[in-house]
Amino acid sequence: MTNAVTNAIDQARNDIDAAEVDTRQASILGIALGVAFTICAVTGLFSWAASTNQTWWPARPAGLFRITQGTHLVTGVISIPLLLAKLRTVAPKLVQGPLVSSLGHLVERISLLPLVGGSIFMLFSGLTNVAYWYPQEFYGIDIGYFFPAAHGKMAIVVMGALVAHIGAKIWISRDALRKDVAEAEPKAITMNRRRFIGGTAATAGIVGITTAGATVSPLRGLGLLSARHPNSGPQGFPVNRTAASIAVESRARSDDYRLTITDADGVDLASFTLADLQAMEQSTHTLPIACVEGWSANEEWTGVRLRDVLAAAGVDTPRQCDVVSIQERSAPGRRYGTSTVSKELAEQDDTLLALQVNGEELHIDHGFPIRLIAPNRPGVNQTKWLERVVVK
Ligand SMILES: Nc1nc2c(c(=O)[nH]1)N[C@H]1C(S)=C(S)[C@@H](COP(=O)(O)O)O[C@H]1N2
Ligand SMILES: [Mo]
């Protein structure tokens, strides 16, 4: 038994030693991966800017984030088969000796650690975020894992390593991709490569389309890989955190419920009952909930403009504010209970304290009595169960 295993390992090692790396194949996959990673990095940067209210992230077009975040997910997911194919292609070289043959070789080998290890981390952490899996502990040790920070910082490392890697490989790839080189090689190699690249492209295409189903309406039937189907849930769209899970319902439905506007020092400027808000001028806008996980759904929201509520509280020109959920009292410390509305967003016609969705009173899981809805804003900042607006 042990002998059979040792033999198999020896055989595999010999096969690997004998194998030549197909540099042309490695280059083609490298280009595909480089393009996918770059698009993923740029859209990821947008995702960070939008969710942290960077002033350069615009309020319009209203549906932009929906597209950039969908693109982020799709390019990330298709990078998984591309990366596996690339690693499979260069594997013989990774295990071939000598471990280090020159200074340049040493630098190249060291740069592979952040590139390969970092890439695997990026794709894995992205996927587990979609699946809501956040390892807080690793074998009993608190690792303080916070997805956005870990994913964002590692992205910088990976993109740096990628630039270095491209710098090291660009001329080799250019030679390998030359037409006369390809024409001179044996037909069998060309055919093998076509099959491998074709299979990889098909796999990438399938995972890409099934992921896009979470956000592109005509592909919805194909959204097999999406964690949440965009048409499922109360009032026809998904819920990420229910009212029951953080015990907000009794406060949300209480007769004492008020929406309070305070200044930055916490001094009350005004307080409104739900009836007060219902009596104010209502407006209706179609805006998406676009979750960072890639699903998104356009809905028709009705409510009062944030800037009108500010004006009613004596704040005549819209200002940056924090909107605070009942959640902060019922389940303190849980994320997404507060979000910041930039001055630009506070000025918009369609930045609403929404009371209704699709003509119905908000379902408790969608934020009854009031939720914030604003254009070009990630779902995580469309805060539900509002009870306080703090004007900065
Ligand atoms: N108070 C509060 N608001 C919240 C959340 C939350 O956990 N608590 N989740 C956010 C996230 S991540 C998303 S994607 C949207 C989802 O809105 P929905 O449940 O109405 O579809 O609500 C956002 N608003
Ligand atoms: Mo979300």
Side-chain angles (χ1 to χ4, degrees), residues 187-343:
K187 198 111 199 120
I189 294 186
T190 318
M191 293 314 292
N192 255 342
R193 182 189 305 124
R194 281 209 186 131
R195 216 172 302 134
F196 189 82
I197 301 262
T200 306
T203 312
I206 290 168
V207 296
I209 288 173
T210 47
T211 302
T215 189
V216 184
S217 319
L219 297 177
R220 285 214 166 152
L222 295 170
L224 303 172
L225 284 187
S226 38
R228 271 152 293 277
H229 197 277
N231 293 346
S232 63
Q235 298 175 321
F237 61 106
V239 170
N240 272 7
R241 183 167 289 164
T242 60
S245 71
I246 47 167
V248 288
E249 185 154 7
S250 59
R251 282 201 174 95
R253 295 208 188 276
S254 159
D255 288 342
D256 298 335
Y257 172 83
R258 298 283 183 282
L259 177 78
T260 306
I261 317 297
T262 77
D263 69 9
D265 300 322
V267 177
D268 287 4
L269 302 175
S271 215
F272 302 95
T273 63
L274 189 52
D276 292 337
L277 296 169
Q278 282 161 344
M280 290 173 68
E281 188 195 336
Q282 307 288 305
S283 47
T284 298
H285 295 274
T286 299
L287 287 175
I289 294 279
C291 182
V292 290
E293 301 153 5
W295 65 265
S296 64
N298 248 335
E299 311 297 336
E300 191 190 83
W301 306 92
T302 301
V304 274
R305 291 190 189 98
L306 174 62
R307 61 163 200 247
D308 291 349
V309 176
L310 293 181
V315 182
D316 290 333
T317 46
R319 296 233 296 274
Q320 183 186 316
C321 23
D322 281 350
V323 290
V324 184
S325 170
I326 295 171
Q327 177 186 338
E328 295 289 13
R329 286 195 292 148
S330 68
R334 299 288 278 275
R335 281 183 205 127
Y336 314 150
T338 301
S339 69
T340 301
V341 180
S342 65
K343 180 176 187 300

